[in-house]
Amino acid sequence: MKSIIRWLLLGLFTLLCIFFLSNIRNAFMSTEPDQIRIAIGPDTSIHAISSQLPGSRVLNEKAGLLSVPYGTTWDYIGKTAAIKGIFRASSVPLETPVISWKYYAYTVKDQLQGFLHGDLGKFRNPYNRKELSVLGELPVMLLRTCTYFIPGLLLAIALSMLTALAASMWRRLGAVLDGVHALLVGLPDFFLIVLIQLGAVYATKFLGHFVLLIVQVGDKTPFMIPFLTIALIPSVTIYGTLRIAIARELAQDYVVTAQAKGLTRGEVLFSHVVRNVMADLLGILPKATTLALASMAVAEAICGILGLGGFIISPALQNVSSMSVICIALALVALAFHALYALLRKRWLVRTGEVPSS
């Protein structure tokens, strides 16, 4: 029970840290938090405009400057769109960008108040610029991400295990696979994703008709590119760990004894070694899952997919007020997999140790 409480508190602390860190960008200010500039037509006046914006007052009539309540600059700019006679409304840039912890605290407090009232924030769709509620779109984004993240992660586990076992059974094949592994370890994630995209483009050109969807178009979401990315990158890490673990087990005395009794190398691997390297597999899976999530985010950003990862990385969505909610959702996905791995370790692995003397 104490262990469960400890892990729950650690998870809660992690989510709080993610919430505060995801809002850290609000501490870096380049515009005035309580001023807007408007350009009006000849048929109205800035005082008439100010009377239609409760809480505002005129600062400089010639420059078109209005004072608004602290931290509501973008809200008031949005309100001006419904007022006739205004040509343009914009924020007022600072002469020098500053770090404002006051504005950071204001935005954090404002978000927490919104959470208490069921408002998780809004964002603009990058395709039609329509304002959407995160609460309504979050399940859609989560489902879209999981459609290729979970199959890709399962394929990564199966692929890395099979290749590690095959490399341990046949030495020449092992030398080739180890060379490929060393090459993939040195390549950046985004380079691999671009190579997969180029492969899809050339396949389409060679076959003469459309083969793979490269970017998201409306409701059509690319599957193969993020799927292959998620399957490839974590499998490199898992393969390296399993190769070392299998080599360690093959050097143990029980393997020598089993082979002396007539068991083949393959029988020893599948009957004994696989079971004994499960601890290494379950130990590397949390790190591999984190790598899979990072790869998924890069793939979604490159393919223009509006999933959890693409939402965080895409430049078109960097100014949304709901960034922390998406970051927390992504962290909850990672924590769910970590909890699953912890349960599997507790169920499958046998703990050994000395029995205390009486």
Side-chain angles (χ1 to χ4, degrees), residues 43-57:
D43 298 332
T44 187
S45 66
I46 191 171
H47 293 281
I49 297 297
S50 178
S51 64
Q52 299 180 62
L53 294 171
S56 68
R57 62 184 180 86

Side-chain angles (χ1 to χ4, degrees), residues 175-199:
V176 174
L177 291 176
D178 289 343
V180 175
H181 172 262
L183 176 64
L184 293 177
V185 167
L187 293 178
D189 295 358
F190 73 90
F191 183 72
L192 294 175
I193 300 172
V194 171
L195 286 180
I196 296 173
Q197 280 189 314
L198 287 176

Side-chain angles (χ1 to χ4, degrees), residues 15-331:
L15 294 178
L16 287 175
C17 289
I18 291 174
F19 171 75
F20 287 114
L21 288 175
S22 61
N23 283 289
I24 197 66
R25 62 189 177 87
N26 293 322
F28 300 91
M29 291 184 55
S30 58
T31 60
E32 293 285 355
D34 55 359
Q35 295 180 22
I36 62 173
R37 176 180 283 114
I38 59 174
I40 59 176
D43 298 332
T44 187
S45 66
I46 191 171
H47 293 281
I49 297 297
S50 178
S51 64
Q52 299 180 62
L53 294 171
S56 68
R57 62 184 180 86
V58 179
L59 289 179
N60 189 320
E61 184 174 356
K62 292 184 179 180
L65 291 180
L66 287 177
S67 173
V68 298
Y70 188 87
T72 60
T73 299
W74 296 106
D75 291 338
Y76 272 75
I77 290 176
K79 291 178 180 180
T80 59
I83 300 177
K84 294 182 179 180
I86 298 180
F87 292 154
R88 184 179 64 256
S90 61
S91 58
V92 180
L94 293 170
E95 294 182 2
T96 304
V98 297
I99 298 177
S100 174
W101 295 109
K102 178 183 178 182
Y103 186 69
Y104 173 78
Y106 171 83
T107 55
V108 168
K109 180 182 177 182
D110 184 61
Q111 282 193 48
L112 291 176
Q113 289 177 343
F115 292 168
L116 293 176
H117 292 85
D119 181 13
L120 301 183
K122 297 179 181 179
F123 69 98
R124 290 191 180 277
N125 189 300
Y127 306 109
N128 55 23
R129 306 307 299 167
K130 184 179 179 180
E131 193 175 77
L132 302 172
S133 171
V134 171
L135 186 61
E137 291 297 314
L138 187 59
V140 178
M141 289 187 286
L142 180 60
L143 179 61
R144 182 179 293 129
T145 294
C146 289
T147 52
Y148 40 77
F149 175 75
I150 294 178
L153 184 60
L154 292 176
L155 178 61
I157 297 171
L159 182 65
S160 56
M161 289 189 66
L162 291 175
T163 52
L165 289 171
S168 300
M169 288 184 62
W170 298 288
R171 288 185 174 84
R172 290 185 178 179
L173 178 60
V176 174
L177 291 176
D178 289 343
V180 175
H181 172 262
L183 176 64
L184 293 177
V185 167
L187 293 178
D189 295 358
F190 73 90
F191 183 72
L192 294 175
I193 300 172
V194 171
L195 286 180
I196 296 173
Q197 280 189 314
L198 287 176
V201 172
Y202 281 110
T204 300
K205 183 178 180 180
F206 177 77
L207 295 175
H209 61 275
F210 183 76
V211 178
L212 294 176
L213 188 62
I214 307 295
V215 296
Q216 180 173 339
V217 180
D219 293 332
K220 296 181 179 180
T221 303
F223 173 80
M224 192 58 65
I225 293 176
F227 171 73
L228 292 177
T229 302
I230 294 168
L232 179 62
I233 295 174
S235 63
V236 173
T237 301
I238 301 174
Y239 172 85
T241 300
L242 290 181
R243 276 288 277 159
I244 296 174
I246 292 173
R248 179 197 67 217
E249 292 299 318
L250 289 176
Q252 298 297 318
D253 293 338
Y254 75 88
V255 173
V256 178
T257 302
Q259 289 178 332
K261 289 182 177 181
L263 292 180
T264 64
R265 190 180 182 87
E267 290 174 334
V268 172
L269 280 171
F270 287 98
S271 299
H272 302 285
V273 173
V274 170
R275 180 177 56 191
N276 292 336
V277 299
M278 287 301 296
D280 300 274
L281 175 62
L282 292 175
I284 195 61
L285 279 181
K287 181 179 180 180
T289 302
T290 303
L291 287 174
L293 286 170
S295 304
M296 175 270 297
V298 176
E300 286 188 343
I302 292 177
C303 295
I305 301 173
L306 191 58
L308 295 180
F311 192 100
I312 294 173
I313 295 181
S314 175
L317 299 169
Q318 288 298 304
N319 59 347
V320 298
S321 61
S322 51
M323 183 66 68
S324 57
V325 176
I326 305 299
C327 290
I328 290 174
L330 198 58

